[in-house]
Amino acid sequence: MRIDDPWHRTPADGWLEEREATEAAEATAAGGAPPAGPRTPAGNPTPLGRNDPPPGRNDPPPGRNDPPHVPPAGPAAADAVHVAVQHSPAFRRVRARHRGFVLPAGAALLLVHLATVVPAAVAPELAAHRVAGPLDAGTAAGLAQLVVALLVAGAYARHARLRRDRTALELRWDTQELVRGAGECGR
């Protein structure tokens, strides 16, 4: 499984210029000449655009030598890749696991909400009944609803981490590779 993310390779605006200025200041302070500019991994100067990653820090992972900004041959090639991925068994498995958690959890949250709101609307004197000190039944039910929502959110995050994230990340990488391949075939 790969943990690096191909969509987070572009530095924020101004970040590259700040880094170059800092390196130039450090080199001048050390008694040397400021660097001639950004360099490739081989040590050759290269012009970097505003959105290009600095060399060395964001180099592609081993085995991934394609530049991250290769456009596909056209929208039709990318669309065909995405449709193929959507029909793959791995994508269907991720969607089924997602639905298998979200639908029952959503139904449970709806039931908890209705169990809180309907009695308060039908029998306000029941919601106004004091439970402990200043705490009445309506407030206790509202707090219970909040606790249930937080528990479901935590369970959702755990379910996603254990049952979907790894497969989804692999699908993401495979889709990007297929889109790149479609872009290279069209040239």
Side-chain angles (χ1 to χ4, degrees):
M1 181 183 101
R2 298 180 187 98
I3 57 172
D4 48 344
D5 192 350
W7 279 270
H8 292 94
R9 297 178 52 80
T10 305
D13 287 342
W15 182 77
L16 185 60
E17 290 83 5
E18 287 179 22
R19 181 172 182 218
E20 290 172 352
T22 303
E23 288 175 354
E26 289 172 356
T28 305
R39 300 194 171 275
T40 63
N44 303 325
T46 180
L48 288 178
R50 185 169 188 67
N51 291 328
D52 290 339
R57 182 167 177 142
N58 288 325
D59 287 341
R64 296 189 174 278
N65 296 324
D66 297 336
H69 51 72
V70 175
D79 289 346
V81 167
H82 288 98
V83 168
V85 168
Q86 287 175 359
H87 293 317
S88 71
F91 185 82
R92 289 182 181 177
R93 192 168 43 251
V94 169
R95 294 292 295 167
R97 288 177 180 168
H98 179 260
R99 274 189 233 113
F101 183 87
V102 169
L103 294 178
L109 284 174
L110 180 63
L111 288 175
V112 168
H113 177 70
L114 291 176
T116 303
V117 174
V118 171
V122 173
E125 63 279 352
L126 178 66
H129 179 71
R130 297 274 179 208
V131 176
L135 184 68
D136 60 11
T139 305
L143 291 174
Q145 184 179 2
L146 175 66
V147 168
V148 169
L150 292 174
L151 289 174
V152 168
Y156 176 81
R158 184 176 189 276
H159 182 270
R161 182 174 33 90
L162 295 177
R163 300 224 165 87
R164 293 191 320 263
D165 285 353
R166 184 170 303 185
T167 307
L169 185 60
E170 289 171 2
L171 276 171
R172 192 177 194 182
W173 274 104
D174 293 343
T175 303
Q176 186 183 36
E177 288 176 356
L178 291 171
V179 168
R180 280 189 192 158
E184 290 173 359
C185 292
R187 290 180 184 203

